[in-house]
Amino acid sequence: MSDQDETPENRLRKELPEEVPAASPAQGAPEEPAAPVLTGRQRLVNGLWPPRVSRAQLIVALLLFGLGFGLAVQVASNSDSGNALRGARQEDLVRILDELDDRSQRLEDEKQGLEKQRQELENSSDQAEEARKQTVEKERQLGILAGTVAAEGPGITMTIEDTKGTVQADMLLDAIQELRAAGAEAIQVNGVRVVAGTYLTDSGKSVSVDGNKINAPFRFKVIGNPKDLEPALNIPGGVVQTLEKEQATVTVEQSTKIVVDALRAAKQPDYARSSSQ
């Protein structure tokens, strides 16, 4: 072996295995198609669908749905309450405004009356006698409100005919509240005196007023200013219109003398006592 053959390059070449040529693909074998290149929009769609929803996300979605549904119901109810006035005729709107003015005037008159009583009490030479007179008058007024004494005066009579049996306790309660807001001073329903603590409940096909069962026709005897009471019942979307939607028939008659003679026994409070004692 010559010195040339023993060079480090030749020795390294002898130690390495012989080069094996890369195997060429078999003849006729199908080539695998290259993966398609996705656009940005396609990658976004693939990431969003099918949706991957966790339990926490589902609970939050349900809570948001319930909140949205509640807001929608509230908005719808507010819209319904305003539709009656929005679609009212001009004369109806004028009548409603007049009724509000009358209520404001009644409150102002009551304020002036109380101020007058105070001045009379302060200026009277016999303050004890004046105080006694005012006490008697106040007792009479409170007796009317409490239902312990009979009352008479101008007012209205409202009769509700309910042949379908659709009138319920809440509808009669709405009528009582509307009458009170219009200045009713004494109310009697089918022989039962209505006072501050009166409650109404449904009792089968009847209605109970303070535990006293009453049946249709429901007859309201109300003392107050007839010019305030009747318009309050006939406002758009008010008591009469609501009852007529339930196929009930409502008639309202004004009178210069209404007698409310149903009485309530005076009840001694169990816990409340006068702070002056």
Side-chain angles (χ1 to χ4, degrees), residues 39-49:
T39 64
R41 179 178 298 179
Q42 290 173 334
R43 288 196 299 271
L44 178 61
V45 172
N46 291 339
L48 295 177
W49 189 265

Side-chain angles (χ1 to χ4, degrees), residues 36-211:
V37 179
L38 300 179
T39 64
R41 179 178 298 179
Q42 290 173 334
R43 288 196 299 271
L44 178 61
V45 172
N46 291 339
L48 295 177
W49 189 265
R52 301 174 180 85
V53 181
S54 63
R55 182 177 181 182
Q57 291 173 333
L58 181 60
I59 293 175
V60 172
L62 291 175
L63 291 176
L64 291 176
F65 174 78
L67 178 61
F69 181 76
L71 291 175
V73 171
Q74 182 67 28
V75 171
S77 61
N78 291 338
S79 299
D80 292 340
S81 61
N83 286 336
L85 294 179
R86 192 176 297 112
R89 298 174 302 175
Q90 182 177 0
E91 53 267 28
D92 293 331
L93 296 176
V94 172
R95 186 172 58 183
I96 294 173
L97 291 175
D98 291 341
E99 181 186 351
L100 293 176
D101 292 339
D102 291 339
R103 292 183 185 181
S104 299
Q105 186 61 44
R106 286 197 305 271
L107 293 175
E108 184 64 27
D109 293 342
E110 183 177 356
K111 175 185 175 183
Q112 293 178 0
L114 293 175
E115 291 178 349
K116 181 179 179 181
Q117 291 179 5
R118 179 177 62 83
Q119 292 175 359
E120 290 176 352
L121 185 60
E122 291 175 351
N123 299 330
S124 175
S125 58
D126 189 353
Q127 295 186 358
E129 179 63 20
E130 184 65 27
R132 188 189 68 80
K133 290 181 179 180
Q134 292 189 13
T135 300
V136 172
E137 178 63 21
K138 195 66 175 179
E139 181 181 1
R140 185 187 67 83
Q141 295 175 358
L142 293 177
I144 294 175
L145 296 177
T148 57
V149 298
E152 66 177 38
I156 63 170
T157 300
M158 179 175 68
T159 304
I160 302 174
E161 297 283 352
D162 180 27
T163 58
K164 302 292 184 179
T166 56
V167 176
Q168 297 180 345
D170 59 336
M171 301 175 188
L172 299 183
L173 180 59
D174 289 341
I176 292 174
Q177 292 176 338
E178 192 64 44
L179 289 168
R180 283 173 171 169
E185 298 176 353
I187 304 175
Q188 176 177 315
V189 184
N190 286 32
V192 181
R193 188 72 168 265
V194 176
V195 295
T198 292
Y199 64 92
L200 288 83
T201 58
D202 291 317
S203 179
K205 294 184 178 180
S206 303
V207 177
S208 292
V209 181
D210 291 335

Side-chain angles (χ1 to χ4, degrees), residues 144 149-157 186-193 219-224 255-263:
I144 294 175
V149 298
E152 66 177 38
I156 63 170
T157 300
I187 304 175
Q188 176 177 315
V189 184
N190 286 32
V192 181
R193 188 72 168 265
R219 186 178 178 85
F220 286 68
K221 298 171 69 176
V222 187
I223 295 178
S255 176
T256 57
K257 182 179 180 181
I258 297 291
V259 177
V260 175
D261 52 6
L263 302 180

